Amino acid sequence: MAEITQRDGSWSYEDGRIRIVPGAKAHPVRQVLGEVAVPLAAVAGITFERDRKGGRLRLRLRDGACPVVRAAEGRLPEGADPYRLVVESGREDLAEYLVAEVRQALLLEQIPEGPVERFLLPGPALPVSGGGGDGTAAFDGHEVRLTWNWKGKETKTSAGPTTLALADLAGVAWVPPQGLENGHLRFLTRSGGGRTVAPEHDPHALDLWGLSKKEHTAVLVAAAVLVALAARGEPERSPGALDKAEAPAQLPLPPAPAPQAPSSDDPDALLRRLRELGELHRDGVLTDEEFSLAKQAVLRRL
């Protein structure tokens, strides 16, 4: 097993899964999300970026594999990214060893880098809640409940909390606050059409102000709703189109089983893999180092 433990959290790789555990003082998004077990089939690549203080481990997932990444659309703050680990000085060798082990496994199992059609990670555990600004959103797998605080506009607070059944939802969009611009978490209903009202007045949206890191936890509610919509097997409105009433975009379907590696007691399969690696090396697809690492892994299993 390859493993590295830091104040920022711990990563380990064993039996086709990368186990990610956030540190005690990690960003609230990572804390609420908790431990994540990433199947090798969901991984597009892994890197270690050195700097003067140590470096950063980064896991790159295949498009569509993770509902949190899908909901965030590349807009998570650096510290909130669950697939990033700060590595302290003196632990660089451990990080590079972990990278080498995962890359070797990706090569051996021939995991493609392209997108997947279904979520390969389950998303946040239910029930999940998050947000801030003028209220909080919670989702239990069946309905979304939006509750307002004293900072909410009267257009929201006068009617009390808003409850939206999953069956009535067509999509969800999370936009983080940036600079002086507020963000929002907005839910689109199947009968509501395109919503043009500002989030601060929309009873189907949280207005996010960016006054606290905890406001970013709203993205986890969005991710959990995406998983539920995908499991329902119906199309949802793409996040970028929620406010424009554009045509629906297809969500990933429920998770598919990960590709199975050759059994350790199947020497014929392993010998075929050795021949395939040899051909890739002769054709120049694999470097000498990559071929040597992959070959050693197969021989160990023989």
Side-chain angles (χ1 to χ4, degrees):
M1 180 177 73
E3 182 175 14
I4 181 169
T5 300
Q6 304 287 271
R7 286 175 293 183
D8 193 37
S10 67
W11 287 20
S12 60
Y13 173 72
E14 186 176 25
D15 296 333
R17 290 189 177 271
I18 301 166
R19 181 171 171 265
I20 296 175
V21 181
K25 296 184 178 180
H27 192 285
V29 168
R30 294 168 59 197
Q31 287 286 343
V32 175
L33 183 60
E35 180 178 327
V36 180
V38 183
L40 197 63
V43 179
I46 184 172
T47 59
F48 175 57
E49 304 163 0
R50 281 181 177 262
D51 59 32
R52 290 180 298 176
K53 297 181 180 180
R56 286 173 176 78
L57 271 170
R58 294 185 188 275
L59 193 64
R60 182 167 57 89
L61 301 186
R62 298 170 65 190
D63 288 345
C66 175
V68 176
V69 173
R70 165 75 171 79
E73 293 192 331
R75 296 173 296 199
L76 274 178
E78 185 85 348
D81 185 351
Y83 305 113
R84 163 191 170 277
L85 180 71
V86 175
V87 176
E88 300 156 22
S89 179
R91 298 298 184 92
E92 296 92 342
D93 289 346
L94 283 175
E96 290 181 341
Y97 176 70
L98 178 67
V99 168
E101 288 290 298
V102 174
R103 285 181 175 174
Q104 177 177 288
L106 290 171
L107 181 65
L108 185 63
E109 305 303 336
Q110 299 182 0
I111 304 297
E113 294 187 14
V116 298
E117 296 181 353
R118 307 178 180 188
F119 289 135
L120 300 182
L121 286 106
L126 298 177
V128 62
S129 64
D134 63 356
T136 301
F139 180 60
D140 62 2
H142 303 286
E143 63 182 25
V144 171
R145 183 173 175 82
L146 300 166
T147 55
W148 316 113
N149 57 36
W150 63 273
K151 293 172 283 188
K153 298 291 186 181
E154 187 177 355
T155 48
K156 293 182 176 181
T157 59
S158 61
T162 297
T163 300
L164 301 169
L166 176 65
D168 294 332
L169 294 181
V172 58
W174 174 77
V175 176
Q178 295 181 340
L180 299 178
E181 296 292 327
N182 288 356
H184 63 263
L185 173 67
R186 191 195 295 271
F187 301 92
L188 186 71
T189 60
R190 294 162 61 87
S191 59
R195 301 191 66 85
T196 57
V197 63
E200 62 181 326
H201 295 291
D202 186 355
H204 295 172
L206 291 183
D207 195 27
L208 304 175
W209 302 341
L211 301 180
S212 166
K213 289 182 178 180
K214 290 185 178 180
E215 286 191 35
H216 287 93
T217 55
V219 73
L220 300 179
V221 181
V225 171
L226 288 179
V227 172
L229 289 174
R232 195 174 66 185
E234 298 182 16
E236 62 101 27
R237 197 75 53 88
S238 65
L242 288 183
D243 295 329
K244 300 178 183 178
E246 295 177 354
Q250 183 68 44
L251 255 184
L253 297 175
Q260 296 298 309
S263 171
S264 59
D265 59 359
D266 184 358
D268 290 339
L270 293 173
L271 288 172
R272 284 196 302 271
R273 182 59 58 86
L274 275 177
R275 286 195 294 271
E276 292 170 358
L277 291 172
E279 291 172 0
L280 291 172
H281 183 233
R282 285 193 300 274
D283 293 341
V285 177
L286 299 180
T287 66
D288 291 344
E289 181 181 1
E290 290 169 338
F291 173 65
S292 178
L293 286 172
K295 183 176 71 173
Q296 289 172 21
V298 174
L299 291 175
R300 283 200 299 268
R301 292 167 70 170
L302 275 171

